[in-house]
Amino acid sequence: MTGQVLELFHRIAEPPSAAARRYVVDYALEDRVSFRNVAFPEAEAAWRELGGHSTPALWDGEHLHQGAEAVVARLQAVVNLGRDG
């Protein structure tokens, strides 16, 4: 996954999505994670195409991790593995 940008599908007013966005900022992962607000039709369509049914959701190029716990766990792997998660 080296060099690939992760996609974080989220909703602005949703507390679990806010927790996921906060993790990205707290661990300075902004260069690795693209925020995709599902309130916008293009982002929602991409999220649904990947099998999205709950937010936050993180696409890592292979899997869609859904729910705050799964998203944060995947982001922790990126941090713990020297950002090449």
Side-chain angles (χ1 to χ4, degrees):
M1 191 192 98
T2 303
Q4 182 175 347
V5 174
L6 304 165
E7 294 180 88
L8 176 63
F9 295 94
H10 67 97
R11 298 179 194 279
I12 292 293
E14 181 184 65
S17 288
R21 290 191 310 271
R22 188 168 38 254
Y23 190 93
V24 170
V25 172
D26 287 350
Y27 288 88
L29 296 172
E30 297 96 323
D31 62 330
R32 293 292 307 277
V33 180
S34 174
F35 289 172
R36 307 277 315 266
N37 184 346
V38 298
F40 293 99
E42 181 183 318
E44 181 181 9
W47 170 64
R48 296 259 184 222
E49 187 174 304
L50 295 169
H53 57 76
S54 63
T55 53
L58 186 74
W59 176 248
D60 66 6
E62 293 182 22
H63 302 288
L64 185 66
H65 307 269
Q66 298 188 76
E69 286 184 24
V71 168
V72 169
R74 182 63 183 93
L75 291 171
Q76 285 175 335
V78 173
V79 171
N80 292 341
L81 296 174
R83 301 168 62 111
D84 286 334

PDB file of all heavy atoms in Angstrom, residues 9 36-49:
ATOM      1  N   PHE A   9     -14.552   7.921   4.236  1.00  0.00           N
ATOM      2  CA  PHE A   9     -15.929   8.334   3.963  1.00  0.00           C
ATOM      3  C   PHE A   9     -16.554   8.685   5.304  1.00  0.00           C
ATOM      4  O   PHE A   9     -16.489   7.898   6.255  1.00  0.00           O
ATOM      5  CB  PHE A   9     -16.691   7.208   3.271  1.00  0.00           C
ATOM      6  CG  PHE A   9     -16.143   6.898   1.907  1.00  0.00           C
ATOM      7  CD1 PHE A   9     -15.207   5.900   1.728  1.00  0.00           C
ATOM      8  CD2 PHE A   9     -16.562   7.627   0.801  1.00  0.00           C
ATOM      9  CE1 PHE A   9     -14.697   5.614   0.474  1.00  0.00           C
ATOM     10  CE2 PHE A   9     -16.057   7.353  -0.464  1.00  0.00           C
ATOM     11  CZ  PHE A   9     -15.114   6.346  -0.630  1.00  0.00           C
ATOM     12  N   ARG A  36     -13.758  12.163   2.398  1.00  0.00           N
ATOM     13  CA  ARG A  36     -14.843  12.096   1.415  1.00  0.00           C
ATOM     14  C   ARG A  36     -16.164  12.193   2.163  1.00  0.00           C
ATOM     15  O   ARG A  36     -16.598  11.231   2.770  1.00  0.00           O
ATOM     16  CB  ARG A  36     -14.790  10.779   0.629  1.00  0.00           C
ATOM     17  CG  ARG A  36     -13.484  10.418  -0.027  1.00  0.00           C
ATOM     18  CD  ARG A  36     -13.210  11.047  -1.366  1.00  0.00           C
ATOM     19  NE  ARG A  36     -14.291  11.048  -2.319  1.00  0.00           N
ATOM     20  CZ  ARG A  36     -14.508  10.136  -3.265  1.00  0.00           C
ATOM     21  NH1 ARG A  36     -13.707   9.095  -3.379  1.00  0.00           N
ATOM     22  NH2 ARG A  36     -15.527  10.254  -4.093  1.00  0.00           N
ATOM     23  N   ASN A  37     -16.791  13.341   2.130  1.00  0.00           N
ATOM     24  CA  ASN A  37     -18.056  13.577   2.816  1.00  0.00           C
ATOM     25  C   ASN A  37     -19.187  12.969   1.990  1.00  0.00           C
ATOM     26  O   ASN A  37     -19.449  13.408   0.873  1.00  0.00           O
ATOM     27  CB  ASN A  37     -18.260  15.082   2.989  1.00  0.00           C
ATOM     28  CG  ASN A  37     -19.505  15.420   3.776  1.00  0.00           C
ATOM     29  OD1 ASN A  37     -20.368  14.583   3.998  1.00  0.00           O
ATOM     30  ND2 ASN A  37     -19.594  16.669   4.197  1.00  0.00           N
ATOM     31  N   VAL A  38     -19.885  11.964   2.543  1.00  0.00           N
ATOM     32  CA  VAL A  38     -20.930  11.276   1.802  1.00  0.00           C
ATOM     33  C   VAL A  38     -22.182  12.123   1.602  1.00  0.00           C
ATOM     34  O   VAL A  38     -23.130  11.675   0.955  1.00  0.00           O
ATOM     35  CB  VAL A  38     -21.282   9.900   2.424  1.00  0.00           C
ATOM     36  CG1 VAL A  38     -20.078   8.977   2.392  1.00  0.00           C
ATOM     37  CG2 VAL A  38     -21.831  10.044   3.815  1.00  0.00           C
ATOM     38  N   ALA A  39     -22.183  13.356   2.102  1.00  0.00           N
ATOM     39  CA  ALA A  39     -23.282  14.274   1.791  1.00  0.00           C
ATOM     40  C   ALA A  39     -23.207  14.723   0.333  1.00  0.00           C
ATOM     41  O   ALA A  39     -24.200  15.188  -0.222  1.00  0.00           O
ATOM     42  CB  ALA A  39     -23.237  15.488   2.722  1.00  0.00           C
ATOM     43  N   PHE A  40     -22.043  14.568  -0.284  1.00  0.00           N
ATOM     44  CA  PHE A  40     -21.865  14.924  -1.689  1.00  0.00           C
ATOM     45  C   PHE A  40     -22.141  13.686  -2.545  1.00  0.00           C
ATOM     46  O   PHE A  40     -21.614  12.604  -2.249  1.00  0.00           O
ATOM     47  CB  PHE A  40     -20.456  15.460  -1.943  1.00  0.00           C
ATOM     48  CG  PHE A  40     -20.215  16.776  -1.266  1.00  0.00           C
ATOM     49  CD1 PHE A  40     -19.541  16.826  -0.048  1.00  0.00           C
ATOM     50  CD2 PHE A  40     -20.668  17.956  -1.827  1.00  0.00           C
ATOM     51  CE1 PHE A  40     -19.335  18.034   0.600  1.00  0.00           C
ATOM     52  CE2 PHE A  40     -20.464  19.176  -1.193  1.00  0.00           C
ATOM     53  CZ  PHE A  40     -19.800  19.209   0.021  1.00  0.00           C
ATOM     54  N   PRO A  41     -22.938  13.837  -3.606  1.00  0.00           N
ATOM     55  CA  PRO A  41     -23.338  12.683  -4.425  1.00  0.00           C
ATOM     56  C   PRO A  41     -22.169  11.840  -4.946  1.00  0.00           C
ATOM     57  O   PRO A  41     -22.250  10.600  -4.930  1.00  0.00           O
ATOM     58  CB  PRO A  41     -24.118  13.314  -5.580  1.00  0.00           C
ATOM     59  CG  PRO A  41     -24.637  14.603  -5.029  1.00  0.00           C
ATOM     60  CD  PRO A  41     -23.577  15.069  -4.059  1.00  0.00           C
ATOM     61  N   GLU A  42     -21.099  12.451  -5.378  1.00  0.00           N
ATOM     62  CA  GLU A  42     -19.956  11.697  -5.911  1.00  0.00           C
ATOM     63  C   GLU A  42     -19.322  10.818  -4.834  1.00  0.00           C
ATOM     64  O   GLU A  42     -19.004   9.647  -5.072  1.00  0.00           O
ATOM     65  CB  GLU A  42     -18.918  12.653  -6.484  1.00  0.00           C
ATOM     66  CG  GLU A  42     -17.712  11.939  -7.065  1.00  0.00           C
ATOM     67  CD  GLU A  42     -16.659  12.914  -7.571  1.00  0.00           C
ATOM     68  OE1 GLU A  42     -17.012  13.926  -8.198  1.00  0.00           O
ATOM     69  OE2 GLU A  42     -15.474  12.647  -7.319  1.00  0.00           O
ATOM     70  N   ALA A  43     -19.151  11.377  -3.647  1.00  0.00           N
ATOM     71  CA  ALA A  43     -18.563  10.605  -2.540  1.00  0.00           C
ATOM     72  C   ALA A  43     -19.510   9.505  -2.083  1.00  0.00           C
ATOM     73  O   ALA A  43     -19.086   8.374  -1.822  1.00  0.00           O
ATOM     74  CB  ALA A  43     -18.210  11.534  -1.381  1.00  0.00           C
ATOM     75  N   GLU A  44     -20.801   9.825  -2.003  1.00  0.00           N
ATOM     76  CA  GLU A  44     -21.765   8.801  -1.588  1.00  0.00           C
ATOM     77  C   GLU A  44     -21.800   7.659  -2.607  1.00  0.00           C
ATOM     78  O   GLU A  44     -21.825   6.485  -2.232  1.00  0.00           O
ATOM     79  CB  GLU A  44     -23.166   9.376  -1.427  1.00  0.00           C
ATOM     80  CG  GLU A  44     -24.139   8.304  -0.983  1.00  0.00           C
ATOM     81  CD  GLU A  44     -25.568   8.769  -0.817  1.00  0.00           C
ATOM     82  OE1 GLU A  44     -25.897   9.902  -1.203  1.00  0.00           O
ATOM     83  OE2 GLU A  44     -26.360   7.959  -0.310  1.00  0.00           O
ATOM     84  N   ALA A  45     -21.783   7.968  -3.892  1.00  0.00           N
ATOM     85  CA  ALA A  45     -21.803   6.935  -4.927  1.00  0.00           C
ATOM     86  C   ALA A  45     -20.564   6.036  -4.828  1.00  0.00           C
ATOM     87  O   ALA A  45     -20.673   4.808  -4.930  1.00  0.00           O
ATOM     88  CB  ALA A  45     -21.900   7.570  -6.307  1.00  0.00           C
ATOM     89  N   ALA A  46     -19.396   6.632  -4.608  1.00  0.00           N
ATOM     90  CA  ALA A  46     -18.159   5.847  -4.486  1.00  0.00           C
ATOM     91  C   ALA A  46     -18.226   4.948  -3.262  1.00  0.00           C
ATOM     92  O   ALA A  46     -17.845   3.768  -3.321  1.00  0.00           O
ATOM     93  CB  ALA A  46     -16.951   6.783  -4.410  1.00  0.00           C
ATOM     94  N   TRP A  47     -18.719   5.474  -2.162  1.00  0.00           N
ATOM     95  CA  TRP A  47     -18.845   4.719  -0.909  1.00  0.00           C
ATOM     96  C   TRP A  47     -19.811   3.551  -1.087  1.00  0.00           C
ATOM     97  O   TRP A  47     -19.499   2.416  -0.710  1.00  0.00           O
ATOM     98  CB  TRP A  47     -19.296   5.697   0.176  1.00  0.00           C
ATOM     99  CG  TRP A  47     -19.719   5.135   1.477  1.00  0.00           C
ATOM    100  CD1 TRP A  47     -18.955   4.449   2.376  1.00  0.00           C
ATOM    101  CD2 TRP A  47     -21.009   5.258   2.076  1.00  0.00           C
ATOM    102  NE1 TRP A  47     -19.693   4.138   3.499  1.00  0.00           N
ATOM    103  CE2 TRP A  47     -20.952   4.628   3.340  1.00  0.00           C
ATOM    104  CE3 TRP A  47     -22.204   5.860   1.687  1.00  0.00           C
ATOM    105  CZ2 TRP A  47     -22.050   4.569   4.191  1.00  0.00           C
ATOM    106  CZ3 TRP A  47     -23.289   5.803   2.537  1.00  0.00           C
ATOM    107  CH2 TRP A  47     -23.213   5.156   3.773  1.00  0.00           C
ATOM    108  N   ARG A  48     -20.951   3.815  -1.702  1.00  0.00           N
ATOM    109  CA  ARG A  48     -21.952   2.752  -1.934  1.00  0.00           C
ATOM    110  C   ARG A  48     -21.396   1.683  -2.880  1.00  0.00           C
ATOM    111  O   ARG A  48     -21.625   0.496  -2.677  1.00  0.00           O
ATOM    112  CB  ARG A  48     -23.237   3.342  -2.505  1.00  0.00           C
ATOM    113  CG  ARG A  48     -23.933   4.286  -1.564  1.00  0.00           C
ATOM    114  CD  ARG A  48     -25.078   3.635  -0.875  1.00  0.00           C
ATOM    115  NE  ARG A  48     -25.771   4.625  -0.045  1.00  0.00           N
ATOM    116  CZ  ARG A  48     -26.196   4.362   1.161  1.00  0.00           C
ATOM    117  NH1 ARG A  48     -25.999   3.173   1.687  1.00  0.00           N
ATOM    118  NH2 ARG A  48     -26.826   5.275   1.864  1.00  0.00           N
ATOM    119  N   GLU A  49     -20.663   2.106  -3.900  1.00  0.00           N
ATOM    120  CA  GLU A  49     -20.086   1.163  -4.852  1.00  0.00           C
ATOM    121  C   GLU A  49     -19.111   0.194  -4.172  1.00  0.00           C
ATOM    122  O   GLU A  49     -18.967  -0.952  -4.580  1.00  0.00           O
ATOM    123  CB  GLU A  49     -19.369   1.926  -5.967  1.00  0.00           C
ATOM    124  CG  GLU A  49     -18.877   1.050  -7.086  1.00  0.00           C
ATOM    125  CD  GLU A  49     -18.305   1.848  -8.233  1.00  0.00           C
ATOM    126  OE1 GLU A  49     -19.022   2.722  -8.764  1.00  0.00           O
ATOM    127  OE2 GLU A  49     -17.134   1.606  -8.579  1.00  0.00           O
TER     128      GLU A  49
END
